[in-house]
Amino acid sequence: MSRTVAVVGASLAGLSAARALREQSYDGRIVLIGDEVHPPYDRPPLSKEFLAGSASLDDILLGAPDDADLDLEWRLQTTAIGLDHLSRSVLLADGSEVRADGVVLATGARARLLPGSEGLGGVHVLRCLDDANALRADLATAERLVVIGGGFIGAEVASTARTLGLEVTVVESQPVPLAGPLGAEMGTVCAELHAAHGTRLLTGTGVAGLVGTDRVEAVELTDGTRLPADVVVVGIGAAPNIEWLARSGVALGNGVLTDARGATNIPGVVAVGDCAATWSVAAERHVRIEHWANALEQPATAVATLLGTGAPAPTPVPYFWSDQYGARIQFAGSRRQGDDVRVLEGSCADHSFLVVYERDGQPVAVLAMNQPRLFTRWRRQLRTAVPAGS
């Protein structure tokens, strides 16, 4: 490696990449480029403690005292608009460019918008700090919240809004929320938390549109039902921030396509975090993982690739967690349709359990609710227990 590495994206994955460069003895220039004005901050609290007002910006900042020793050149509030793959120059919206010997792509993802919601007051997505500030201000004067999308973000916002005293309705187009990651059986169990805490859950119905002129007044469902709403939160997934790379020559799909070690098709360019679609040997396809643990851990491997150390690619075990209505839900592994589900500890009815997913008699994933200690043991075991080709 030569003397400059540009890290495009200044959130957890980008900061983790910068730290990994120094940890792996790179002593050249590191330029960290981010389009937000804020320094790197932790995103999971945005739908929980920060939204509820029990955590401040200082509480969620990712910076550590040792970061001063990283000697980073920060370019915040600066948007990357292109990449010249021949010179590995990152082109910026202010007309300048950063010439680099290596580039780490860590531009993350953005919340998908509900078509027709643009410009309508009271309609929110939640992906960044500015989103959370705007939503928090609106919730402070609202009485009725409708959440569109019953995934983890939607469920966490619903949970927080209930603690703030709002009347909450969650609308999920699929028959069972969270059936994708957890399966229908355990998705149903986790969805019971809504009713147990006074949240109305409507499943198997879509949204036809929003009602209101300048500000939202109701959500109209495909069955004709109108749900009065002072505030609407749209939680229907995220799209990778890769459009700026359209003319770069970097291979794109549902994210920046990389091999198992984070390398793109362009020498000296790697990708990490929510924007990266990384080749999974187990799944035999490119997989984009939008989880905090991946953004924290994956950059070390990609940086080693960039520096040419050639260490073997790890076999990651996907992990995520969600805090809802005072319950901690944790999941690790890779579930498939048809896996056997076995309760090993506790009771689903009591919302305290540990479940193992098995395939051909072997554990491939584990789900826990309010069983953090036992879950941690099983998560460690999965790294060696998950069979090849799972």
Side-chain angles (χ1 to χ4, degrees):
M1 277 297 305
S2 191
R3 307 316 301 162
T4 298
V5 172
V7 180
V8 189
S11 192
L12 176 61
L15 180 59
S16 296
R19 288 170 173 166
L21 281 162
R22 294 303 188 212
E23 288 166 1
Q24 296 179 35
S25 301
Y26 174 72
D27 61 0
R29 177 184 178 221
I30 301 176
V31 183
L32 196 56
I33 302 163
D35 59 3
E36 292 189 66
V37 65
H38 314 287
Y41 56 86
D42 208 14
R43 294 181 188 269
L46 296 182
S47 58
K48 301 182 281 287
E49 299 93 341
F50 187 85
L51 187 61
S54 59
S56 67
L57 174 57
D58 286 343
D59 294 326
I60 66 173
L61 289 177
L62 288 170
D66 290 346
D67 287 347
D69 298 330
L70 298 178
D71 190 24
L72 304 179
E73 182 179 326
W74 292 90
R75 299 288 300 271
L76 297 179
Q77 206 172 0
T78 304
T79 302
I81 60 172
L83 174 66
D84 183 334
H85 73 274
L86 295 177
S87 64
R88 285 193 289 270
S89 295
V90 180
L91 312 178
L92 305 177
D94 62 8
S96 65
E97 64 181 53
V98 176
R99 291 183 174 272
D101 305 285
V103 178
V104 180
L105 305 175
T107 46
R110 65 189 180 279
R112 297 185 186 276
L113 303 178
L114 185 71
S117 66
E118 299 84 353
L120 192 61
V123 181
H124 298 264
V125 295
L126 183 55
R127 188 75 189 183
C128 67
L129 182 61
D130 290 345
D131 293 339
N133 279 324
L135 176 57
R136 186 164 70 173
D138 251 6
L139 292 180
T141 58
E143 295 181 0
R144 299 165 299 186
L145 168 69
V146 174
V147 178
I148 300 173
F152 289 110
I153 292 295
E156 290 172 359
V157 170
S159 169
T160 300
R162 286 296 297 147
T163 67
L164 296 174
L166 275 74
E167 176 186 318
V168 181
T169 301
V170 176
V171 179
E172 169 57 49
S173 61
Q174 298 301 310
V176 178
L178 304 174
L182 305 183
E185 179 181 354
M186 299 315 300
T188 298
V189 171
C190 291
E192 291 171 356
L193 289 171
H194 290 300
H197 292 84
T199 296
R200 182 185 182 192
L201 175 63
L202 303 178
T203 61
T205 183
V207 172
L210 303 179
V211 180
T213 304
D214 297 320
R215 185 175 179 88
V216 68
E217 298 172 3
V219 176
E220 184 169 350
L221 305 183
T222 51
D223 62 6
T225 301
R226 281 197 175 188
L227 304 174
D230 302 310
V231 176
V232 171
V233 173
V234 179
I236 55 174
N241 292 319
I242 58 174
E243 291 81 2
W244 68 285
L245 295 166
R247 298 182 181 180
S248 67
V250 174
L252 306 174
N254 180 31
V256 179
L257 302 182
T258 80
D259 66 11
R261 292 184 44 77
T264 71
N265 62 312
I266 303 298
V269 179
V270 299
V272 297
D274 292 2
C275 77
T278 304
W279 180 258
S280 168
V281 175
E284 297 182 340
R285 61 186 176 88
H286 288 94
V287 177
R288 194 165 64 85
I289 301 176
E290 298 179 32
H291 299 312
W292 185 92
N294 184 64
L296 177 70
E297 298 168 359
Q298 184 191 39
T301 300
V303 163
T305 300
L306 193 64
L307 298 178
T309 60
T315 305
V317 175
Y319 163 69
F320 59 84
W321 81 93
S322 178
D323 295 320
Q324 305 172 24
Y325 304 103
R328 168 148 288 199
I329 300 169
Q330 295 171 285
F331 181 92
S334 299
R335 184 200 70 85
R336 286 184 188 171
Q337 188 71 24
D339 288 346
D340 295 323
V341 179
R342 187 160 57 98
V343 179
L344 292 189
E345 183 73 26
S347 164
C348 294
D350 295 334
H351 297 150
S352 178
F353 59 83
L354 184 130
V355 164
V356 172
Y357 297 78
E358 296 177 330
R359 190 178 311 144
D360 299 326
Q362 298 296 318
V364 293
V366 60
L367 168 70
M369 183 182 291
N370 294 326
Q371 292 281 352
R373 189 170 300 176
L374 187 58
F375 174 85
T376 299
R377 291 206 302 268
W378 269 93
R379 183 188 175 196
R380 291 195 191 107
Q381 294 174 22
L382 275 179
R383 193 172 296 274
T384 54
V386 175
S390 62

